Amino acid sequence: MLETKLGSLRLANPVLSASGTYGSGWEGRTFSDLSRVGGLVSKTVTLRPRHGNPPPRIWETASGMLNSIGLENKGVEWFLADTLPKMRTLGPKLIINIGGETLAEFVQLAELFCSAGIDALEVNLSCPNVQEGKLLFSTDPRMTERTVAAVKRVANVPVFAKLSPNVTDITPIARAAEQGGADGITAINTLIGMAVDWRKQKPVLSRGIGGLSGPAIKPVALRMVHEVAKCVRIPIIGVGGARTAEDVLEFLCAGASAVEIGTASFVDPAVFVGIVDDLERLLTEVGSSVGAMSRSMLRNLPQPPPMHGRQAELPR
Amino acid sequence: MQTKLLRVRRVRDLGGDSFALEIDGPIPTTLPGQFFMLRTERHWPVLLPRPFSLFDRAADGSWGSFLIKVAGPGTKALVEQRTGEGVHVTGPLGRPFSDDVLEPVCIAGGIGLAPFLSLARRYRELGRPLPRLLFGGRNQAALAGIEDFAGIARVFASTDDGSHGFHGLVTQLLDSLLVSKVVQPGETVFCCGPDRMMHAVAKLCEQRGLRCFLSLETYMACGFGVCNGCTVEVQGPRFHGWPYSKACQDGPVYESCELSLH
């Protein structure tokens, strides 16, 4: 009833942790039985250690929060030696989120993780907090396609492309990811926002801007998941403000095949298991399943035309 | 570690926007300086839990209390709760004050008094000498909670307006106690209070040859090490060259020499 598939990745249920909001899962292991979670998505791993941004890094907003962490992590070497073995003891499928500053770094990370043995890769093309003067990968369809294709060439597991909502139109980017061979799309990353301290007449966060997450962005995420679902044939991992089983079902209907829970795990470290239980109860009540709910809003819509017919739309 | 849904026992107004939120237990055994993440069951309009040191605790854990100064919607929602309403409680979390210091000089300001009640009780149970407590506030009303320390600490109060105890800042009180040799160079200070006061205390300790540990307050989303939001700038061997530290795991207690105090 709860099983779902993301390409060749089979999950016991569609509930995943989101990247950057549950560490490696290890930190939260005492709060609930994590083996019951569909999958764990790691915090973004980069090639070299990254110190991240100076504090203050977070600020609660109406029904959400801003963060500007800046991908603080100890780098892939540490992750492989220390973190991955711990994650393996937790039970769920392991989806490793990788972040490169260049295409070559993405490839290198993918190679390292694929030889270490994981269940899937999530390619972070969209962190809003680490620009360093470079273009965000997922604001550019060509970079998206090239990066995904390069990762795919070396990957022996499904590859999901995590996209940014901070674009005028997400559909060309989603199609570019599909064209590059992505096995799925994760939508969405955080929305760029700002909080202001009027007494100091300056932004609250040290870097000025941050990524908005939490229930406040759920309608935006649902809209974008639906838009992406209408234009690609690969599965979608919905993410953005989901915190209940009802939210998960909404994302499934809109076009997702699995859903990541992010900010809600700050609020309740044991949130995942509660959602899985509620999901089972709700689906039993209505006599349905995750498979039947997933993409149900798209069944009456025309299928997207074949991809090569769409390429002319991509800026070259 | 589990998050428990507990009930509000009562909320006591301590004046000056400060409150004692009393919660029916079970409240687990907690070391001085450790904290809990609290959030209201009602939730709306506040999303994230907020971190607080445990203040009082019944010996059997049947209830506990937290000192809360209203600073925004999150703290306001917590102190506006009525008896019987639900509070989600996660903890104890974090690294406490070092237990190896047998005769600490505790310095508190405002709700920074919280960690020292359990410290004073613990020291009495262990048969250690009474800890010294220096408690500073703007006026007498700002010294709420001090009465709980009768018999379990040597209390020295200071008020900015002279309405109670020493007339002056708590740093000036510390200096006067150094002169009268109640406090000696080489001793260890445990400090908790507003940032400005803690910085002043840390600076004075450095000048007077005292070791100083601070219990920091930072914005925190999760409390268990996954949000990376509560980081403070640090230095020293404990952090292996990493410039940031998570206050929820490495702290909230840091030695002042580990911090980049501006």
Side-chain angles (χ1 to χ4, degrees), chain A residues 20-23 27 30-31 49-55 57-60 63-64 69 72-73 215 265-269, chain B residues 1-3 39 43-50 90 219-222 224-229 231-233 242-244 249:
Chain A
T21 47
Y22 213 59
E27 297 87 338
T30 60
F31 289 100
R50 284 188 63 99
H51 293 151
N53 297 332
R57 293 176 169 186
I58 54 167
W59 186 251
E60 182 164 345
S63 286
I69 309 301
E72 177 176 2
N73 80 102
S265 60
F266 296 157
V267 180
D268 175 7
Chain B
M1 181 69 57
Q2 301 277 315
T3 300
R39 75 184 157 92
H43 219 278
W44 184 264
V46 177
L47 187 66
L48 299 170
R50 298 288 190 271
T90 311
Y219 298 126
M220 213 174 256
C222 71
F224 62 102
V226 296
C227 77
N228 287 55
T231 43
V232 292
E233 292 176 57
W242 203 262
Y244 297 123
Q249 288 185 330

Side-chain angles (χ1 to χ4, degrees), chain B residues 111-128:
Chain B
I111 58 166
L113 185 64
F116 298 125
L117 187 59
S118 59
L119 183 138
R121 292 219 180 106
R122 179 176 170 78
Y123 277 52
R124 186 182 52 183
E125 276 165 33
L126 295 173
R128 294 178 178 177

Side-chain angles (χ1 to χ4, degrees), chain A residues 11-260:
Chain A
L11 302 174
N13 66 67
V15 180
L16 312 175
S17 65
S19 180
T21 47
Y22 213 59
S24 64
W26 184 252
E27 297 87 338
R29 69 193 180 283
T30 60
F31 289 100
S32 62
D33 178 7
L34 286 176
S35 69
R36 298 193 50 220
V37 179
L40 291 169
V41 183
S42 75
K43 180 167 168 58
T44 298
V45 185
T46 56
L47 202 55
R48 284 174 299 278
R50 284 188 63 99
H51 293 151
N53 297 332
R57 293 176 169 186
I58 54 167
W59 186 251
E60 182 164 345
T61 59
S63 286
M65 64 177 286
L66 287 164
N67 85 78
S68 170
I69 309 301
L71 299 186
E72 177 176 2
N73 80 102
K74 291 184 175 167
V76 67
E77 203 177 312
W78 170 274
F79 194 95
L80 288 170
D82 176 84
T83 313
L84 192 58
K86 289 180 185 163
M87 282 182 92
R88 287 208 181 99
T89 66
L90 298 173
K93 297 283 196 235
L94 303 185
I95 302 168
I96 302 302
N97 184 298
I98 54 173
E101 285 175 32
T102 61
L103 194 145
E105 284 192 9
F106 274 112
V107 170
Q108 212 177 331
L109 285 161
E111 282 174 334
L112 286 166
F113 278 113
C114 287
S115 53
I118 57 167
D119 297 301
L121 281 169
E122 185 175 74
V123 183
N124 184 1
L125 301 165
S126 49
C127 179
N129 295 321
V130 292
Q131 279 200 329
E132 289 153 355
K134 293 190 188 68
L135 192 68
L136 212 60
F137 283 83
S138 78
T139 56
D140 179 348
R142 269 182 306 171
M143 275 309 290
T144 299
E145 182 180 332
R146 281 181 57 201
T147 310
V148 171
V151 168
K152 271 300 283 184
R153 271 195 289 278
V154 299
N156 56 11
V157 294
V159 172
F160 311 129
K162 186 164 181 179
L163 301 189
S164 170
N166 303 306
V167 290
T168 317
D169 182 1
I170 197 171
T171 58
I173 322 278
R175 283 196 300 268
E178 185 177 41
Q179 183 72 17
D183 300 281
I185 284 168
T186 305
I188 54 176
N189 209 315
T190 53
L191 293 151
I192 297 173
M194 176 183 271
V196 170
D197 182 341
W198 70 267
R199 287 182 192 278
K200 294 180 182 163
Q201 298 168 48
K202 60 177 205 174
V204 171
L205 299 177
S206 66
R207 207 171 153 271
I209 59 168
L212 181 65
S213 66
I217 72 164
K218 193 185 80 173
V220 179
L222 284 170
R223 185 261 298 175
M224 291 190 128
V225 163
H226 194 56
E227 281 176 354
V228 172
K230 283 191 286 189
C231 78
V232 300
R233 289 155 185 269
I234 51 178
I236 297 163
I237 304 173
V239 54
R243 61 181 185 92
T244 64
E246 283 92 341
D247 294 338
V248 169
L249 289 166
E250 290 171 21
F251 273 100
L252 294 178
C253 293
S257 298
V259 181
E260 293 178 3

